[in-house]
Amino acid sequence: MSQPSADADRAVAEQVARARAAQRRFEHAGQDTLDTAAAAAAWAIMEPQRNRLLAELAVRDTGLGNASDKFTKNYRKTPGLMRDLDGVVTTGVVARDEAKGIIEIARAIGVVAAITPSTNPAATPANKIINALKCGNAVIVAPSPKGHSTCARLIGFVHEQFAKAGLDPDLVQMLPAPIDKAATATLMKQCDLVVATGSQSNVRMAYTSGTPAFGVGAGNVAAIVTALADPDAAARKIALSKTFDNATSCSSENSVVIEAPIYERMLEALKRQGGALLDDEQKARLQATMWRDGKLSARCTARLAEEIAREAGLADIAAREPRFLMVEETGYGAGCPFSGEKLAPVLAVYRAREIDEAVRIVEGIYRYMGAGHSVGVHGAGDALAVTLGTQLPVARVIVDQAHCIATGGSFENGLPFSLSMGCGTWGRNNFSTNLNFRQYMNITRVVLPIAEHVPEVDALFEAYFCKVGR
């Protein structure tokens, strides 16, 4: 990693100092002011003309995804987050437990460093800014170099709303261009909390910065289609998730594991949804194009399936204007790169004799990449869904839903709206929830005296003594 110059180090320190001064005034301004700040940041990205401009700018400057889906993502995620935050108390007394004599007080953290990816250069910063402000914090965003211009425009819009509301613009800042790892590392060390979304190198840097950090794990979602699934319904949801924003989401399916009795019907259903199944020769050509020297090539990242096929020299496939490409796979690991995350509308398809083998295949995939994130399942009852949640190294089991739409919160499920999914210790993370406002606050506990109650030892160990004796 390059070392920051003295000037760059000083510039970051000055930003943090301004943010800290603004935050100290802001955190004690009361819930109404915190709510107003969060709403101002939300409206900055939600207003349709601004939303459209940010979506188009993101695609123009990063070359990733498509503007229509980014517009939709911004428009759904932000009101979803505001729904989650509506009426939530995030400052002062938030809970009382009379029996235990505990009073809980929500406290701000301070200055948050928000590390954000090029795949979502507006939506992810907005989500983190809103959560941080709701809890009385200031935030400094470190965008990806490609996403810098989009993030800068977003923060300009936030400042315009702040001016109307009489709020201090130093509460929301961004590292100045050119963005580099040295400046980002300096910000991480000087702030009070790091929330990191994006590459695993950024997440590791956050965890080793010396500052408390929340970082996300690698995506590589697999979905299981059981013999009881409706092939057409499952294919519609998988196709939507696989193609949304050209598969920029870490929650987009990378593999689908299909039980044998439904395998052929499911393949046909996927083809009806615009999937193109490649033969062995076509698969080899696609693999050679997508991976160079064992590394995923940026030439295929978040591009249309038709463009990827053309890049791989598959003119016949490209001429069919497919929505996504499919390759049949049997293995997993570095020698089978299609078993990993592709960040492209390309889907690996596995056949499983029965559900136990499907689980073993998913376990193998996650040993290679993606442990901790999520698994999708179509055609499962509650019992099977719970079994998957018990056996697989995942923080979420998404049942009968379009995975990338559902995992980050949806109006059709109860998960918090977020663009950052914790993957637990399986994914080398320290949390397994969707990143939400709770990660942006401290809790102080007032501890009052209560009547003493000391349990009897025999009562505590009664079950143990009955089972094995004293």
Side-chain angles (χ1 to χ4, degrees), residues 105-184:
I105 304 169
R107 303 287 302 281
I109 282 172
V111 179
V112 176
I115 317 304
T116 61
S118 57
T119 48
N120 287 308
T124 300
N127 187 277
K128 293 181 177 183
I129 290 167
I130 294 164
N131 276 313
L133 293 170
K134 173 74 177 183
C135 297
N137 304 298
V139 58
I140 301 175
V141 182
S144 69
K146 286 184 178 179
H148 174 271
S149 58
T150 305
C151 187
R153 186 63 66 90
L154 167 67
I155 290 178
F157 290 151
V158 171
H159 288 170
E160 289 175 5
Q161 297 302 306
F162 273 22
K164 295 178 182 179
L167 296 165
D168 191 336
D170 283 342
L171 288 169
V172 180
Q173 300 180 55
M174 182 186 72
L175 286 180
I179 303 293
D180 58 28
K181 286 188 177 295
T184 300

Side-chain angles (χ1 to χ4, degrees), residues 62-126:
T62 68
L64 303 173
N66 68 78
S68 177
D69 285 348
K70 288 191 184 298
F71 178 93
T72 299
K73 183 184 299 183
N74 293 341
Y75 198 77
R76 287 181 63 85
K77 291 291 185 181
T78 304
L81 173 58
M82 293 303 289
R83 180 207 65 180
D84 292 346
L85 297 179
D86 185 38
V88 174
V89 178
T90 55
T91 185
V93 174
V94 294
R96 295 176 184 267
D97 188 326
E98 301 293 344
K100 293 183 178 179
I102 300 291
I103 301 172
E104 293 187 345
I105 304 169
R107 303 287 302 281
I109 282 172
V111 179
V112 176
I115 317 304
T116 61
S118 57
T119 48
N120 287 308
T124 300

Side-chain angles (χ1 to χ4, degrees), residues 217-222 250 339-341 362 365-375 393-395 423 426-427:
N220 187 33
V221 168
C250 65
S339 66
E341 188 174 35
V362 175
I365 292 170
Y366 288 169
R367 279 195 300 272
Y368 171 49
M369 188 183 299
H373 198 291
S374 318
V375 67
V394 294
C423 297
W426 304 291

Side-chain angles (χ1 to χ4, degrees), residues 402-425:
H403 202 281
C404 88
I405 307 297
T407 311
S410 167
F411 293 111
E412 297 175 348
N413 69 43
L415 287 173
F417 276 81
S418 180
L419 287 102
S420 305
M421 273 58 78
C423 297
T425 54

Side-chain angles (χ1 to χ4, degrees), residues 106-390:
R107 303 287 302 281
I109 282 172
V111 179
V112 176
I115 317 304
T116 61
S118 57
T119 48
N120 287 308
T124 300
N127 187 277
K128 293 181 177 183
I129 290 167
I130 294 164
N131 276 313
L133 293 170
K134 173 74 177 183
C135 297
N137 304 298
V139 58
I140 301 175
V141 182
S144 69
K146 286 184 178 179
H148 174 271
S149 58
T150 305
C151 187
R153 186 63 66 90
L154 167 67
I155 290 178
F157 290 151
V158 171
H159 288 170
E160 289 175 5
Q161 297 302 306
F162 273 22
K164 295 178 182 179
L167 296 165
D168 191 336
D170 283 342
L171 288 169
V172 180
Q173 300 180 55
M174 182 186 72
L175 286 180
I179 303 293
D180 58 28
K181 286 188 177 295
T184 300
T186 299
L187 174 64
M188 290 181 181
K189 291 176 182 177
Q190 295 189 13
C191 68
D192 300 302
L193 175 72
V194 181
V195 285
T197 307
S199 72
Q200 288 302 290
S201 64
N202 277 345
V203 171
R204 287 191 293 271
M205 185 165 66
Y207 279 138
T208 59
S209 66
T211 299
F214 291 104
V216 301
N220 187 33
V221 168
I224 295 172
V225 181
T226 78
L228 299 178
D230 176 337
D232 288 317
R236 279 195 303 272
K237 293 166 186 172
I238 291 169
L240 170 61
S241 180
K242 182 72 260 185
T243 59
F244 187 81
D245 202 17
N246 293 357
T248 56
S249 171
C250 65
S251 299
S252 175
E253 289 90 340
N254 280 277
S255 302
V256 58
V257 183
I258 306 169
E259 272 199 280
I262 202 175
Y263 187 81
E264 298 300 337
R265 284 188 292 150
M266 187 64 195
L267 278 184
E268 292 304 314
L270 288 167
K271 290 176 184 177
R272 287 193 292 273
Q273 292 298 320
L277 182 64
L278 308 189
D279 61 28
D280 289 343
E281 179 191 4
Q282 293 166 334
K283 175 184 174 183
R285 293 169 71 177
L286 179 62
Q287 179 173 322
T289 301
M290 291 187 67
W291 287 272
R292 299 292 175 91
D293 300 321
K295 295 182 179 179
L296 191 62
S297 170
R299 293 188 304 164
C300 296
T301 300
R303 294 178 62 186
L304 293 169
E306 176 185 348
E307 295 172 348
I308 295 171
R310 193 174 296 112
E311 184 80 25
L314 305 175
D316 291 347
I317 298 294
R320 288 152 54 182
E321 299 182 350
R323 293 178 67 200
F324 57 101
L325 308 177
M326 299 185 292
V327 297
E328 292 183 291
E329 188 56 87
T330 56
Y332 28 79
C336 303
F338 284 110
S339 66
E341 188 174 35
K342 293 169 277 294
L343 289 174
V346 177
L347 186 67
V349 182
Y350 293 80
R351 181 199 295 260
R353 288 186 297 273
E354 31 69 35
I355 196 65
D356 287 344
E357 185 180 30
V359 172
R360 288 194 295 273
I361 291 170
V362 175
E363 288 175 332
I365 292 170
Y366 288 169
R367 279 195 300 272
Y368 171 49
M369 188 183 299
H373 198 291
S374 318
V375 67
V377 62
H378 299 267
D382 289 356
L384 175 56
V386 170
T387 296
L388 296 178
T390 302

